[in-house]
Amino acid sequence: QVQLVESGGGLVEPGGSLTLSCAASTRNFNSYGIGWFRQAPGSEREFVTVIGRSGDITYYGESVEGRFTVSRDNANNMVYLQMNNLKPEDTAVYYCAADSGPISSLHSQYDYWGQGTQVTVSS
């Protein structure tokens, strides 16, 4: 069982930055790949990024490539999402999720989800 808690969301102006955090409660944190997804009202859940168990493998969605950076701290069961040059279209609820299988961009593959944190990009 893995419990995930996201934090760090908020209101930011276009071009600004935010860092989201995902805290995991599990004894075997380094057994899970961690993905970030987002969902805007009326939209499908969208893949943002995933980081492998040791942090050496990362993949990004096309819409965030070059602006967002994911990292993890296995000693403290944390994953971070640094978001730069934010755009209004980045507005969504952001979720972190854990998957014990091969890393994936498919939300259906993930076993455990956090409750989400709202990010709003607006002037």
Side-chain angles (χ1 to χ4, degrees):
Q1 190 75 11
V2 181
Q3 294 184 325
L4 302 168
V5 178
E6 304 93 337
S7 60
L11 174 64
V12 63
E13 292 187 349
S17 298
L18 275 178
T19 300
L20 304 184
S21 299
C22 174
S25 298
T26 176
R27 292 183 180 178
N28 303 307
F29 182 62
N30 60 3
S31 297
Y32 295 91
I34 302 295
W36 285 94
F37 294 81
R38 66 187 183 186
Q39 190 165 18
S43 298
E44 298 280 322
R45 191 160 293 194
E46 178 189 6
F47 169 72
V48 175
T49 184
V50 59
I51 186 166
R53 295 172 183 80
S54 62
D56 58 343
I57 298 174
T58 59
Y59 293 109
Y60 295 90
E62 194 174 303
S63 60
V64 307
E65 180 86 54
R67 299 187 297 123
F68 290 12
T69 302
V70 63
S71 61
R72 67 188 293 165
D73 176 358
N74 283 348
N76 293 293
N77 286 17
M78 294 292 296
V79 174
Y80 303 99
L81 181 62
Q82 173 68 42
M83 306 186 296
N84 297 327
N85 189 23
L86 283 160
K87 305 175 181 181
E89 51 264 41
D90 294 318
T91 295
V93 178
Y94 283 71
Y95 300 89
C96 64
D99 178 23
S100 59
I103 59 173
S104 173
S105 62
L106 300 175
H107 64 81
S108 58
Q109 296 293 106
Y110 286 77
D111 304 308
Y112 304 101
W113 291 82
Q115 83 291 347
T117 186
Q118 176 72 47
V119 172
T120 302
V121 184
S122 175
S123 54

